[in-house]
Amino acid sequence: MKQFPFSLRFSIPAILLISGTILGGINIQQETSYSFQRVEEDVSGNARFAGEQISGILEYLYRRGNIEQAEIAISKMQTDVNLSLALLFDLENHVLLATQYELRNRSLKQTPAAKNKSAFRQVRENLSGQIILSEDKQKISAIYPVPLQIDAGELRPSEVGILWLSYDISRLKQRAFRDALFRSLTSKITLGGFCILLWFFFEKTLTKRAEQIVVVSKKIAQGELNQRVHIQGSDELAQIASGFNKMADWIQTNTEKLQASEIALQQANETLEEQVKERTIALSEQKKQKNQLEETLYKLQQTQAHLVQQEKMSSLGQLVAGVAHEINNPINFIHGNIVHVEEYTQVLLDFVELVQQCYPNLTSEIEDWADEVELEFLQEDLPKTINSIKIGTKRVCDIVLSLRNFSRLDEAELKKVELHDGIESTLLILQNRLKQKLAIQVIKNYSDLPLIECYPGQLNQVFMNILVNAIDALETSGRENKPRQITIHTSRVDEEWVKIAIADNGCGIPPSIQNQIFNPFFTTKPVGKGTGMGMAISYQIITEKHGGQLTCSSTVGTGTEFTIQIPIQQQAVN
């Protein structure tokens, strides 16, 4: 049961007052309704009696042709204080007689009885009277037929007039309302006196005694355990007070025991707290030292892996640069002399053709030799062979140039470079993997970019790491019937930034590990195939060395996209 939210001292009289008010209002409404109903019934009875009596008198007088007595009969009706107007209408609904002389000879429409036109028609047809209560219930109309002329041998009068009596009951209803209000106020005053007496009874026998229990319970709750309730008698409140005192005795006894136990427990807690505090300080120092060692070990592992990776890339760059340098001179020599060999060969072929034209009849020995060496085939195939050698040497020169561009040993400092050259050099080095087992299509969407100030060698290393991961993902994606694609898109974000997006349509990265992609030593590749440092170093190169952003977005079954954003100028970064 929910707790009662108000004090009994105020709630009981409030309940009695509200109940008395509601009952008084209902009583006034009922008394008024009954009074109005009695007024309407009494006046309706008087109207019925007067209508029957006067209509009979008027019928008798009109049969005798005594019109003057009929006028006197209508005039005498003014003595009825409740009757406001009496009218006698002829067959054409014109006023014959009236208590107000000025209404005589007027039509029905010009009199207050105009609203009862339909009732006039019914009364003439039925030859029976009607009592009508107005819509506002303030007036009662009595409508009775008056035969004005009956010819000999007629069962039904040929000319029927209408007697219309109007009673104003508004004054009677006002008087009835005052009487009902007086009776209701009398009963309400009586009920109020009873409620006051009832409140005094509850105040003396219930409220004050219950308040004593409440006061003592509050004092006990505040710690005054020696307080008791003193209520005499054998009623329910006295029994509650007796049980309350017994409960207070039990609480006081057990509280004293509990306080003694608390003192002993507090002393033991103080000793234990000192021991725990000392132990906590020791453990905190140990944990702090452990955290410092773990942090130092982590930094050492990260630094070691970074140095290994840097040394590996540096050695790879030196090796690539050395190989490119050693190959560059002889291949340039060969490629440069191919032009002369092509020119000299063409001269010799032209000379042979000229000889054949000048000496169409060759000796049998020359013809045998020409057939033996297949001179015609040599003349046709030798230019093709020299052109193939020329294309091959050009290809070798491009590879050497790409190796030199990728290594960029002479570009360890900030330089303005063409970003697309680094991407193309990286793709050229990875050409064998792109064409090796499964043909991987590289889609390039290059935009017009300005020269970018960056560390070219380190930026090429980032391109290499992302493209190698994309190739690995495509090789393990299991897309037998679908093309494998790598899309490279470059664009200018605004006046200060450019963006490079490298995406593949491989198997994608599960959402549970996407936030670990750039963590050091984290890899999804088998043991021995990946170190887990490639993307961590790439993230460091982009964010710390270039002041840019490197993000990854991936959907399982759709692919992965790495987005690089770097500033065009690095002065503000460094």
Side-chain angles (χ1 to χ4, degrees), residues 497-535:
W497 291 81
V498 295
K499 181 173 73 173
I500 307 101
I502 302 176
D504 64 74
N505 61 345
C507 55
I509 302 173
S512 58
I513 63 173
Q514 285 186 19
N515 57 350
Q516 306 180 53
I517 293 299
F518 301 115
N519 291 344
F521 307 108
F522 177 80
T523 179
T524 58
K525 298 177 183 179
V527 178
K529 191 171 182 180
T531 62
M533 289 301 298
M535 296 312 301

Side-chain angles (χ1 to χ4, degrees), residues 19-35 177 179-191:
S19 301
T21 302
I22 295 173
L23 292 175
I26 295 173
N27 187 27
I28 290 175
Q29 184 179 5
Q30 290 178 348
E31 285 288 339
T32 303
S33 178
Y34 292 153
S35 298
F177 175 74
D179 294 342
L181 183 62
F182 176 76
R183 291 194 299 272
S184 298
L185 289 176
T186 303
S187 62
K188 193 172 183 180
I189 292 172
T190 304
L191 179 62

Side-chain angles (χ1 to χ4, degrees), residues 51-63 69-70 73 146:
E52 292 175 353
Q53 184 180 24
I54 297 301
S55 63
I57 293 173
L58 292 175
E59 179 183 356
Y60 172 77
L61 293 174
Y62 265 92
R63 283 185 178 183
Q69 288 297 325
V146 177

Side-chain angles (χ1 to χ4, degrees), residues 8-9 11-20 23 189-208:
L8 293 177
R9 174 169 292 176
S11 59
I12 290 177
I15 292 172
L16 293 174
L17 180 60
I18 294 172
S19 301
L23 292 175
I189 292 172
T190 304
L191 179 62
F194 174 75
C195 291
I196 292 173
L197 294 176
L198 188 63
W199 177 73
F200 276 119
F201 171 76
F202 279 118
E203 177 73 12
K204 183 176 180 61
T205 61
L206 177 64
T207 306
K208 287 186 176 180

Side-chain angles (χ1 to χ4, degrees), residues 60-109:
Y60 172 77
L61 293 174
Y62 265 92
R63 283 185 178 183
R64 295 177 61 86
N66 196 346
I67 306 302
E68 293 180 356
Q69 288 297 325
E71 292 180 352
I72 294 173
I74 291 293
S75 299
K76 287 182 178 180
M77 295 188 70
Q78 292 181 347
T79 57
D80 190 348
V81 295
N82 295 324
L83 181 68
S84 60
L85 184 62
L87 299 175
L88 177 63
F89 293 88
D90 60 8
L91 185 61
E92 301 298 330
N93 286 335
H94 287 83
V95 179
L96 294 175
L97 301 175
T99 54
Q100 295 181 9
Y101 187 79
E102 64 272 12
L103 295 178
R104 291 188 177 187
N105 298 323
R106 290 188 181 182
S107 64
L108 178 62
K109 293 182 179 180

